[in-house]
Short mmCIF file of all heavy atoms in Angstrom, two decimals:
data_model
loop_
_atom_site.label_atom_id
_atom_site.label_comp_id
_atom_site.label_asym_id
_atom_site.label_seq_id
_atom_site.Cartn_x
_atom_site.Cartn_y
_atom_site.Cartn_z
N ASN A 1 13.56 60.61 -19.85
CA ASN A 1 13.96 59.42 -20.60
C ASN A 1 15.40 59.50 -21.07
O ASN A 1 16.10 58.50 -21.19
CB ASN A 1 13.03 59.20 -21.79
CG ASN A 1 11.67 58.70 -21.36
OD1 ASN A 1 11.51 58.13 -20.28
ND2 ASN A 1 10.65 58.93 -22.20
N ASP A 2 15.88 60.76 -21.35
CA ASP A 2 17.28 60.92 -21.75
C ASP A 2 18.21 60.47 -20.63
O ASP A 2 19.19 59.79 -20.84
CB ASP A 2 17.56 62.38 -22.08
CG ASP A 2 16.95 62.79 -23.43
OD1 ASP A 2 16.57 61.88 -24.19
OD2 ASP A 2 16.87 64.00 -23.69
N PHE A 3 17.88 60.89 -19.40
CA PHE A 3 18.71 60.48 -18.27
C PHE A 3 18.65 58.99 -18.04
O PHE A 3 19.60 58.38 -17.59
CB PHE A 3 18.26 61.23 -17.01
CG PHE A 3 18.64 62.69 -17.03
CD1 PHE A 3 17.70 63.67 -17.24
CD2 PHE A 3 19.97 63.07 -16.87
CE1 PHE A 3 18.07 65.01 -17.26
CE2 PHE A 3 20.34 64.41 -16.89
CZ PHE A 3 19.38 65.38 -17.10
N ASN A 4 17.52 58.37 -18.34
CA ASN A 4 17.39 56.93 -18.14
C ASN A 4 18.33 56.13 -19.03
O ASN A 4 18.61 54.97 -18.76
CB ASN A 4 15.95 56.49 -18.41
CG ASN A 4 15.00 56.95 -17.31
OD1 ASN A 4 15.45 57.25 -16.21
ND2 ASN A 4 13.71 57.01 -17.63
N LEU A 5 18.84 56.77 -20.10
CA LEU A 5 19.78 56.09 -20.97
C LEU A 5 21.06 55.70 -20.23
O LEU A 5 21.77 54.78 -20.62
CB LEU A 5 20.13 56.97 -22.17
CG LEU A 5 19.02 57.25 -23.18
CD1 LEU A 5 19.49 58.25 -24.22
CD2 LEU A 5 18.59 55.95 -23.86
N PHE A 6 21.37 56.43 -19.16
CA PHE A 6 22.60 56.21 -18.42
C PHE A 6 22.39 55.31 -17.20
O PHE A 6 23.29 55.11 -16.42
CB PHE A 6 23.19 57.55 -17.97
CG PHE A 6 23.55 58.43 -19.13
CD1 PHE A 6 22.67 59.42 -19.55
CD2 PHE A 6 24.74 58.26 -19.82
CE1 PHE A 6 22.99 60.23 -20.61
CE2 PHE A 6 25.06 59.06 -20.88
CZ PHE A 6 24.19 60.06 -21.31
N GLN A 7 21.19 54.79 -17.06
CA GLN A 7 20.90 53.89 -15.95
C GLN A 7 20.96 52.44 -16.42
O GLN A 7 20.55 52.12 -17.53
CB GLN A 7 19.52 54.18 -15.35
CG GLN A 7 19.40 55.55 -14.73
CD GLN A 7 18.02 55.80 -14.17
OE1 GLN A 7 17.15 54.95 -14.28
NE2 GLN A 7 17.84 56.97 -13.57
N GLU A 8 21.53 51.58 -15.53
CA GLU A 8 21.61 50.17 -15.89
C GLU A 8 20.23 49.55 -15.91
O GLU A 8 19.37 49.91 -15.10
CB GLU A 8 22.48 49.41 -14.87
CG GLU A 8 23.94 49.84 -14.87
CD GLU A 8 24.19 50.95 -13.88
OE1 GLU A 8 23.19 51.47 -13.31
OE2 GLU A 8 25.36 51.31 -13.69
N PRO A 9 19.99 48.62 -16.81
CA PRO A 9 18.72 47.89 -16.80
C PRO A 9 18.53 47.17 -15.48
O PRO A 9 19.49 46.90 -14.75
CB PRO A 9 18.86 46.89 -17.96
CG PRO A 9 19.98 47.42 -18.79
CD PRO A 9 20.89 48.17 -17.88
N GLU A 10 17.29 46.84 -15.16
CA GLU A 10 17.00 46.19 -13.88
C GLU A 10 17.76 44.89 -13.70
O GLU A 10 18.11 44.51 -12.59
CB GLU A 10 15.49 45.94 -13.77
CG GLU A 10 14.67 47.20 -13.60
CD GLU A 10 13.21 46.90 -13.40
OE1 GLU A 10 12.87 45.70 -13.32
OE2 GLU A 10 12.40 47.83 -13.33
N ASP A 11 18.01 44.16 -14.79
CA ASP A 11 18.69 42.87 -14.70
C ASP A 11 20.18 42.98 -15.04
O ASP A 11 20.83 42.00 -15.37
CB ASP A 11 18.02 41.85 -15.62
CG ASP A 11 18.02 42.29 -17.09
OD1 ASP A 11 18.41 43.46 -17.36
OD2 ASP A 11 17.63 41.48 -17.95
N TYR A 12 20.74 44.20 -14.92
CA TYR A 12 22.14 44.41 -15.28
C TYR A 12 23.07 43.65 -14.32
O TYR A 12 24.05 43.04 -14.74
CB TYR A 12 22.47 45.90 -15.24
CG TYR A 12 23.89 46.24 -15.64
CD1 TYR A 12 24.27 46.29 -16.98
CD2 TYR A 12 24.86 46.51 -14.67
CE1 TYR A 12 25.57 46.60 -17.35
CE2 TYR A 12 26.17 46.82 -15.02
CZ TYR A 12 26.51 46.86 -16.36
OH TYR A 12 27.79 47.16 -16.73
N TYR A 13 22.75 43.71 -13.02
CA TYR A 13 23.56 43.02 -12.02
C TYR A 13 22.97 41.64 -11.74
O TYR A 13 21.75 41.49 -11.70
CB TYR A 13 23.63 43.82 -10.72
CG TYR A 13 24.36 45.13 -10.85
CD1 TYR A 13 23.67 46.33 -10.93
CD2 TYR A 13 25.76 45.16 -10.94
CE1 TYR A 13 24.36 47.54 -11.05
CE2 TYR A 13 26.44 46.35 -11.07
CZ TYR A 13 25.73 47.54 -11.13
OH TYR A 13 26.41 48.72 -11.27
N PRO A 14 23.82 40.64 -11.53
CA PRO A 14 23.28 39.30 -11.20
C PRO A 14 22.57 39.35 -9.86
O PRO A 14 22.94 40.13 -8.98
CB PRO A 14 24.52 38.41 -11.15
CG PRO A 14 25.66 39.36 -10.87
CD PRO A 14 25.29 40.64 -11.55
N PRO A 15 21.55 38.54 -9.67
CA PRO A 15 20.83 38.54 -8.40
C PRO A 15 21.71 38.02 -7.27
O PRO A 15 22.63 37.23 -7.48
CB PRO A 15 19.65 37.59 -8.66
CG PRO A 15 20.12 36.69 -9.77
CD PRO A 15 21.01 37.55 -10.62
N GLU A 16 21.43 38.49 -6.05
CA GLU A 16 22.15 37.98 -4.88
C GLU A 16 21.83 36.50 -4.70
O GLU A 16 20.69 36.08 -4.85
CB GLU A 16 21.71 38.74 -3.63
CG GLU A 16 22.18 40.18 -3.59
CD GLU A 16 23.68 40.27 -3.33
OE1 GLU A 16 24.20 39.38 -2.64
OE2 GLU A 16 24.30 41.21 -3.84
N PRO A 17 22.84 35.69 -4.40
CA PRO A 17 22.57 34.27 -4.15
C PRO A 17 21.57 34.10 -3.01
O PRO A 17 21.62 34.83 -2.02
CB PRO A 17 23.95 33.71 -3.77
CG PRO A 17 24.94 34.68 -4.31
CD PRO A 17 24.28 36.01 -4.24
N GLU A 18 20.68 33.17 -3.17
CA GLU A 18 19.67 32.94 -2.14
C GLU A 18 20.27 32.16 -0.97
O GLU A 18 21.23 31.40 -1.11
CB GLU A 18 18.49 32.15 -2.73
CG GLU A 18 17.71 32.92 -3.79
CD GLU A 18 16.50 32.14 -4.28
OE1 GLU A 18 16.33 30.99 -3.82
OE2 GLU A 18 15.75 32.68 -5.11
N ASP A 19 19.67 32.35 0.21
CA ASP A 19 20.07 31.56 1.37
C ASP A 19 19.88 30.08 1.08
O ASP A 19 19.05 29.70 0.23
CB ASP A 19 19.24 31.94 2.59
CG ASP A 19 19.61 33.30 3.15
OD1 ASP A 19 20.45 33.99 2.54
OD2 ASP A 19 19.05 33.68 4.19
N LYS A 20 20.63 29.27 1.76
CA LYS A 20 20.50 27.82 1.61
C LYS A 20 20.38 27.18 2.99
O LYS A 20 20.76 27.78 3.99
CB LYS A 20 21.67 27.23 0.83
CG LYS A 20 23.05 27.64 1.36
CD LYS A 20 24.14 27.17 0.42
CE LYS A 20 25.52 27.60 0.90
NZ LYS A 20 25.73 29.06 0.73
N VAL A 21 19.87 25.98 3.01
CA VAL A 21 19.66 25.26 4.27
C VAL A 21 20.43 23.95 4.22
O VAL A 21 20.40 23.22 3.23
CB VAL A 21 18.16 24.99 4.51
CG1 VAL A 21 17.97 24.09 5.74
CG2 VAL A 21 17.40 26.29 4.69
N GLU A 22 21.14 23.67 5.30
CA GLU A 22 21.82 22.38 5.43
C GLU A 22 21.31 21.72 6.71
O GLU A 22 21.25 22.36 7.77
CB GLU A 22 23.33 22.57 5.48
CG GLU A 22 24.09 21.25 5.39
CD GLU A 22 25.52 21.41 4.92
OE1 GLU A 22 25.86 22.45 4.33
OE2 GLU A 22 26.31 20.47 5.18
N VAL A 23 20.95 20.45 6.60
CA VAL A 23 20.42 19.71 7.73
C VAL A 23 21.51 18.82 8.30
O VAL A 23 22.08 17.99 7.60
CB VAL A 23 19.20 18.88 7.33
CG1 VAL A 23 18.70 18.05 8.52
CG2 VAL A 23 18.08 19.78 6.82
N PHE A 24 21.80 19.02 9.59
CA PHE A 24 22.80 18.21 10.28
C PHE A 24 22.08 17.09 11.01
O PHE A 24 21.27 17.33 11.91
CB PHE A 24 23.58 19.07 11.27
CG PHE A 24 24.57 18.29 12.10
CD1 PHE A 24 25.75 17.83 11.56
CD2 PHE A 24 24.30 18.03 13.44
CE1 PHE A 24 26.66 17.12 12.33
CE2 PHE A 24 25.20 17.31 14.22
CZ PHE A 24 26.39 16.85 13.65
N GLU A 25 22.37 15.85 10.62
CA GLU A 25 21.74 14.68 11.22
C GLU A 25 22.57 14.24 12.43
O GLU A 25 23.73 13.85 12.30
CB GLU A 25 21.66 13.53 10.21
CG GLU A 25 20.82 13.84 8.98
CD GLU A 25 19.33 13.69 9.25
OE1 GLU A 25 18.97 13.23 10.36
OE2 GLU A 25 18.54 14.02 8.35
N ARG A 26 21.99 14.30 13.60
CA ARG A 26 22.68 13.87 14.81
C ARG A 26 22.66 12.34 14.90
O ARG A 26 21.71 11.69 14.44
CB ARG A 26 22.03 14.50 16.04
CG ARG A 26 22.02 16.01 16.01
CD ARG A 26 21.20 16.59 17.14
NE ARG A 26 21.83 16.35 18.45
CZ ARG A 26 21.19 16.53 19.61
NH1 ARG A 26 19.91 16.89 19.62
NH2 ARG A 26 21.82 16.31 20.75
N ASN A 27 23.68 11.78 15.49
CA ASN A 27 23.74 10.34 15.71
C ASN A 27 22.62 9.96 16.68
O ASN A 27 22.57 10.48 17.81
CB ASN A 27 25.10 9.96 16.29
CG ASN A 27 25.29 8.46 16.40
OD1 ASN A 27 24.39 7.73 16.78
ND2 ASN A 27 26.50 8.00 16.09
N PRO A 28 21.70 9.08 16.28
CA PRO A 28 20.56 8.74 17.15
C PRO A 28 20.98 8.25 18.53
O PRO A 28 20.25 8.45 19.50
CB PRO A 28 19.83 7.65 16.36
CG PRO A 28 20.23 7.85 14.94
CD PRO A 28 21.64 8.37 14.99
N GLU A 29 22.15 7.62 18.62
CA GLU A 29 22.60 7.11 19.92
C GLU A 29 22.95 8.23 20.89
O GLU A 29 23.01 8.00 22.10
CB GLU A 29 23.83 6.21 19.71
CG GLU A 29 23.54 4.96 18.89
CD GLU A 29 24.79 4.10 18.73
OE1 GLU A 29 25.84 4.47 19.30
OE2 GLU A 29 24.71 3.08 18.02
N TRP A 30 23.17 9.43 20.37
CA TRP A 30 23.62 10.53 21.22
C TRP A 30 22.53 11.57 21.48
O TRP A 30 22.78 12.54 22.20
CB TRP A 30 24.83 11.22 20.58
CG TRP A 30 25.98 10.30 20.31
CD1 TRP A 30 26.30 9.14 20.96
CD2 TRP A 30 26.99 10.47 19.31
NE1 TRP A 30 27.42 8.57 20.43
CE2 TRP A 30 27.88 9.38 19.42
CE3 TRP A 30 27.24 11.43 18.34
CZ2 TRP A 30 28.99 9.23 18.58
CZ3 TRP A 30 28.34 11.30 17.52
CH2 TRP A 30 29.21 10.19 17.64
N VAL A 31 21.36 11.38 20.89
CA VAL A 31 20.31 12.39 21.00
C VAL A 31 19.54 12.20 22.31
O VAL A 31 19.00 11.13 22.58
CB VAL A 31 19.34 12.31 19.80
CG1 VAL A 31 18.19 13.31 19.98
CG2 VAL A 31 20.09 12.60 18.50
N THR A 32 19.50 13.23 23.12
CA THR A 32 18.76 13.20 24.37
C THR A 32 17.27 13.37 24.09
O THR A 32 16.87 14.16 23.22
CB THR A 32 19.23 14.33 25.30
OG1 THR A 32 20.63 14.18 25.51
CG2 THR A 32 18.50 14.30 26.63
N ALA A 33 16.44 12.62 24.80
CA ALA A 33 15.00 12.74 24.63
C ALA A 33 14.55 14.18 24.80
O ALA A 33 15.02 14.89 25.69
CB ALA A 33 14.28 11.85 25.65
N GLY A 34 13.66 14.61 23.92
CA GLY A 34 13.15 15.97 23.98
C GLY A 34 13.96 16.97 23.20
O GLY A 34 13.60 18.15 23.15
N THR A 35 15.06 16.53 22.58
CA THR A 35 15.85 17.43 21.73
C THR A 35 15.76 16.95 20.29
O THR A 35 15.50 15.77 20.03
CB THR A 35 17.33 17.45 22.19
OG1 THR A 35 17.93 16.16 21.96
CG2 THR A 35 17.43 17.82 23.65
N PRO A 36 15.97 17.83 19.33
CA PRO A 36 15.78 17.46 17.92
C PRO A 36 16.83 16.46 17.43
O PRO A 36 17.99 16.51 17.84
CB PRO A 36 15.90 18.80 17.18
CG PRO A 36 16.69 19.67 18.09
CD PRO A 36 16.33 19.26 19.49
N SER A 37 16.40 15.56 16.56
CA SER A 37 17.32 14.61 15.96
C SER A 37 18.08 15.24 14.78
O SER A 37 19.09 14.70 14.33
CB SER A 37 16.57 13.38 15.47
OG SER A 37 15.60 13.73 14.50
N GLN A 38 17.58 16.38 14.32
CA GLN A 38 18.21 17.12 13.24
C GLN A 38 18.37 18.58 13.67
O GLN A 38 17.53 19.11 14.38
CB GLN A 38 17.37 17.09 11.95
CG GLN A 38 17.10 15.72 11.39
CD GLN A 38 16.18 15.80 10.18
OE1 GLN A 38 15.33 16.70 10.09
NE2 GLN A 38 16.34 14.89 9.25
N ILE A 39 19.45 19.19 13.21
CA ILE A 39 19.64 20.63 13.39
C ILE A 39 19.57 21.26 12.00
O ILE A 39 20.35 20.90 11.11
CB ILE A 39 21.00 20.95 14.05
CG1 ILE A 39 21.14 20.23 15.39
CG2 ILE A 39 21.16 22.46 14.20
CD1 ILE A 39 20.23 20.73 16.48
N THR A 40 18.62 22.16 11.83
CA THR A 40 18.45 22.83 10.55
C THR A 40 19.24 24.13 10.56
O THR A 40 18.94 25.04 11.35
CB THR A 40 16.97 23.12 10.27
OG1 THR A 40 16.24 21.89 10.30
CG2 THR A 40 16.79 23.78 8.91
N VAL A 41 20.25 24.21 9.71
CA VAL A 41 21.15 25.37 9.69
C VAL A 41 20.91 26.18 8.44
O VAL A 41 21.17 25.73 7.32
CB VAL A 41 22.63 24.92 9.76
CG1 VAL A 41 23.55 26.14 9.79
CG2 VAL A 41 22.87 24.03 10.97
N ASN A 42 20.38 27.38 8.62
CA ASN A 42 20.25 28.31 7.50
C ASN A 42 21.58 29.00 7.27
O ASN A 42 22.26 29.41 8.21
CB ASN A 42 19.16 29.35 7.79
CG ASN A 42 18.80 30.14 6.55
OD1 ASN A 42 18.06 29.65 5.70
ND2 ASN A 42 19.32 31.36 6.41
N LEU A 43 21.98 29.11 6.01
CA LEU A 43 23.24 29.73 5.65
C LEU A 43 22.99 30.84 4.64
O LEU A 43 22.16 30.70 3.74
CB LEU A 43 24.20 28.69 5.05
CG LEU A 43 24.58 27.52 5.97
CD1 LEU A 43 25.20 26.40 5.16
CD2 LEU A 43 25.54 27.99 7.04
#
């Protein structure tokens, strides 16, 4: 427990930012049949 005094608490560092998703809407006039009308981009 003495050594634990020199350790940072679990919440000492801010959490890593979470991934986000952006949806790219394709122009319906340009979308070929059988391909998605939206592209889901994970970032």
Side-chain angles (χ1 to χ4, degrees):
N1 287 337
D2 286 345
F3 288 106
N4 288 340
L5 293 174
F6 298 98
Q7 296 179 358
E8 295 91 353
E10 291 184 4
D11 59 353
Y12 182 80
Y13 294 104
E16 290 288 329
E18 294 184 357
D19 288 4
K20 51 187 178 289
V21 173
E22 189 158 341
V23 177
F24 176 74
E25 298 280 354
R26 301 172 68 193
N27 187 319
E29 296 180 3
W30 303 334
V31 176
T32 303
T35 66
S37 60
Q38 301 176 330
I39 303 291
T40 302
V41 182
N42 192 78
L43 299 165

